[in-house]
Amino acid sequence: TRPPVAWPPDGSLPDTIRAELLERMAEGIRNLSDTIDIADLSIPSDRQDAVFRVYAEILCTLPEAHRCRSQMTLYSVVEGSDSRLVRVKPLYQPPDVLAEADRLVRALAVPGDEAGTVYRFHDWIVRHTRYDTSVSPESGEHPSFSAAGVFFEGLAVCQGYSEALSILCNRAGIPALYMSGESLGQRHAWNLVQVDDEWYHVDATWDDPTPDAPGQANCTYLFLTDADIRKDHAPEFAPVTCDSGRFSWMHRMRHVLRLADGYWLFADGENGDRLTLSGPDGIGPTPVLRGSRRPREIRGYYPVVHGETLYFSDFDDSARICQAPLDAVLLTDPSRIQPLRTDAFPTGIVQARNLVIEGDVLSYELFDDDGDPAGQGTVRLTSS
């Protein structure tokens, strides 16, 4: 028989009850238990918010919790005039979500490169997902509140973005946690990710432009410190310390392309979006030059690679599509960066944006000189 328990007047749980509940729920989640019995703890039903808070703490402290949804179900019984909580039912990710995550891990993970792998997961989520502005917490069960919304619908809110990143990282062997708190006065979710033994905050939701900009992904909220994230986020828990500024140089990056051997190609937001090449960890950022007689810096967007050839839009040249051998970019040979010759792209009339390569086809969206949509274009590329 348990000794009498003094229940705090603020609706929280006594320390001993909370500690036992935390341990029991964590063990149940590790074992993928369908339900977790808490009847003997005699928790009054009016303390359900405190129990949900314990569940939220588990999500941001237990890597195995990536198999869980960000929601759970509580069951209670009524005995006379009293009602108490008796069972917790975690909501686990369905098999098709985990299978899709494993497929993406095989396609995106870079062996031996944790930072590059997390970047590619973050980039895939942002580029393939549109923030769902049509749902709210009152919308009830909806795919946009889950990783399923990201993987299968391309539509989600912060819970979905965060669940998806947590699943991908953990399935790739990179510890990641689902973080909850507030941002701009509203409930919000993001992630904690461990890269090379250091922890960082990552908010894929806030790196996704709204209104949606297909093919664009920012890095402003990738690999942040505690001090960085607290400028506009209020974490509910602090399970780890994030104090490494190793990747602070990445926050200037826009329209990012991860190249081989740790190189990065990006539009430098701190230098007029000039197309820039840097080595691992931001070593030696150098603007990419174009031209033979008077090489100039390039305001370049939407870089993509096919084989050994780079393609991008040069916004200093009416957003013409340019091409260059990758070795020329890496060796900074400006004379080998040339316009892409194609009748499908009228010279001087439209801009090409949102370049995407699927197989041997380069597709892009066309815009007129006023910035209005003017259709789409495609080019079949030759293997290089």
Side-chain angles (χ1 to χ4, degrees), residues 14-272:
D15 290 343
T16 54
I17 296 293
R18 180 187 170 283
E20 188 164 345
L21 177 66
L22 184 67
E23 181 179 352
R24 192 174 302 185
M25 289 175 63
E27 184 65 20
I29 288 170
R30 288 191 190 96
N31 295 330
L32 295 176
S33 301
D34 183 56
T35 60
I36 301 167
D37 187 0
I38 60 171
D40 61 304
L41 300 181
S42 300
I43 302 174
S45 294
D46 62 4
R47 307 280 162 154
Q48 63 177 358
D49 286 349
V51 177
F52 277 108
R53 181 176 168 81
V54 170
Y55 184 70
E57 184 174 356
I58 290 172
L59 293 180
C60 77
T61 55
L62 187 69
E64 293 94 327
H66 77 272
R67 298 174 297 189
C68 296
R69 295 280 315 282
S70 54
Q71 298 118 341
M72 68 170 186
T73 302
L74 280 174
Y75 295 91
S76 62
V77 297
V78 177
E79 297 175 341
S81 60
D82 296 325
S83 176
R84 60 188 177 90
L85 303 172
V86 294
R87 289 195 312 280
V88 174
K89 182 177 178 62
L91 298 182
Y92 295 106
Q93 299 290 353
D96 60 339
V97 166
L98 298 180
E100 178 64 8
D102 290 339
R103 184 190 72 80
L104 289 169
V105 167
R106 290 191 296 271
L108 299 173
V110 184
D113 184 358
E114 291 184 347
T117 295
V118 173
Y119 161 74
R120 295 190 72 182
F121 291 161
H122 165 278
D123 187 67
W124 187 93
I125 291 170
V126 173
R127 290 177 185 269
H128 288 79
T129 310
R130 177 166 58 88
Y131 189 85
D132 192 349
T133 58
S134 69
V135 297
S136 68
E138 292 73 36
S139 299
E141 184 67 17
H142 194 283
S144 291
F145 292 103
S146 70
V150 172
F151 293 155
F152 304 127
E153 307 292 336
L155 194 64
V157 295
C158 60
Q159 292 99 316
Y161 284 75
S162 303
E163 282 189 13
L165 185 59
S166 179
I167 295 169
L168 289 173
C169 288
N170 280 288
R171 304 296 273 194
I174 299 172
L177 302 168
Y178 178 99
M179 194 68 178
S180 58
E182 290 189 353
S183 183
L184 302 182
Q186 297 183 335
R187 295 293 299 169
H188 187 52
W190 63 99
N191 295 99
L192 289 167
V193 179
Q194 189 180 44
V195 170
D196 298 331
D197 299 321
E198 297 281 359
W199 284 93
Y200 302 89
H201 295 268
V202 178
D203 190 340
T205 308
W206 274 39
D207 274 338
D208 195 356
T210 302
D212 191 48
Q216 295 188 36
N218 297 321
C219 292
T220 309
Y221 287 86
L222 180 64
F223 301 136
L224 298 187
T225 65
D226 290 332
D228 292 331
I229 201 71
R230 285 175 179 149
K231 293 176 182 177
D232 42 36
H233 292 54
E236 191 171 11
F237 306 99
V240 296
T241 298
C242 305
D243 57 8
S244 171
R246 172 185 169 190
F247 298 108
S248 59
W249 61 275
M250 294 182 66
H251 305 156
R252 65 200 289 177
M253 300 195 314
R254 291 160 34 83
H255 298 271
V256 186
L257 185 64
R258 177 73 158 166
L259 302 176
D261 301 322
Y263 283 89
W264 301 83
L265 188 70
F266 56 93
D268 188 344
E270 294 183 3
N271 185 31

